[in-house]
Amino acid sequence: MGGGARELAGYLAALAGWVAGLAAAVLPQWRQSSYAGDAIITAVGLHEGLWMSCAAQSTGQVQCRLHDSLLSLEVHIQTCRALVVISLLLGFFGIIVSVVGMKCTKVGEEDPVTKSRIAVAGGVLFVLSGLCTLAAVSLYATQVTYEFFRESTIPINARYEFGSALFVGWGAASLSMLGGSLLCCSWPAKERRGQQYHQQSQPSTAREYV
């Protein structure tokens, strides 16, 4: 795969990861009510996310409510919120920086070495964005797992398990890190050596004609 094609593939993968991360952040299905054990079929399914909690009835009606207070939230939810926001910001700047640095664009510097360095910087931002998303969903999943299996008087069919937003978040983190890694492969080591060799060969050629 050529350098330009590799950069484009990495950018598209990272962009898809950022969009998926945004979707995971706003979805309320970070955890959902469990039907394990001696389940009693209820008419209401509960979903909770970072920003709101929802109740879905069997009739198809969904009622959502934003979390009332920021400071009264559990620590892991506040931490996940911060990580998701940082991830989205890093990914946003990665999108802008990568567009400037990609070989297939004519934005910014014309020097291929400089553009490659900018593309690598965009790739690093995408990798950091993916790591933040991975940390957020993994932390939340760990808390859900702990609460599900801990000794409690709450019946197992009234507890929570993984929601679909967690799987979307894991996919988003994987795409962001994959795309960022492909962009990081644009490090211009060969181009630098080629330019140095060209600059060293020019004076000797000029002396031969004199």
Side-chain angles (χ1 to χ4, degrees), residues 10-18 87 90-99 119-133 172-173 175-181 183-184:
Y11 179 78
L12 293 177
L15 179 62
W18 185 82
S87 171
L90 289 172
F92 177 75
F93 289 119
I95 291 172
I96 298 175
V97 172
S98 299
V99 168
V120 171
V124 171
L125 290 174
F126 278 127
V127 171
L128 293 176
S129 173
L131 289 175
C132 288
T133 301
L175 285 174
S176 295
M177 290 188 291
L178 174 62
S181 300
L183 286 170
C184 288

Side-chain angles (χ1 to χ4, degrees), residues 135-149:
V137 294
S138 298
L139 175 61
Y140 198 96
T142 301
Q143 184 66 26
V144 172
T145 304
Y146 168 74
E147 293 179 356
F148 186 87
F149 288 106

Side-chain angles (χ1 to χ4, degrees), residues 69 114 119 135 155 171 186 200:
S69 173
T114 304
S186 301
Q200 291 174 0

Side-chain angles (χ1 to χ4, degrees), residues 162-184:
F162 293 171
S164 56
L166 291 182
F167 300 98
V168 175
W170 278 315
S174 300
L175 285 174
S176 295
M177 290 188 291
L178 174 62
S181 300
L182 290 176
L183 286 170
C184 288

Side-chain angles (χ1 to χ4, degrees), residues 50 70-83:
L50 299 180
L70 171 64
L71 299 180
S72 65
L73 291 175
E74 298 180 24
V75 175
H76 74 279
I77 296 180
Q78 297 184 26
T79 304
C80 291
R81 275 187 174 187
L83 287 171

Side-chain angles (χ1 to χ4, degrees), residues 17-27 84 88 172:
W18 185 82
V19 174
L22 177 61
V26 300
L27 284 174
V84 166
L88 293 176

Side-chain angles (χ1 to χ4, degrees), residues 57-77:
Q57 300 181 3
S58 58
T59 58
Q61 184 179 4
V62 179
Q63 295 179 339
C64 295
R65 185 185 68 178
L66 293 174
H67 294 315
D68 296 330
S69 173
L70 171 64
L71 299 180
S72 65
L73 291 175
E74 298 180 24
V75 175
H76 74 279
I77 296 180

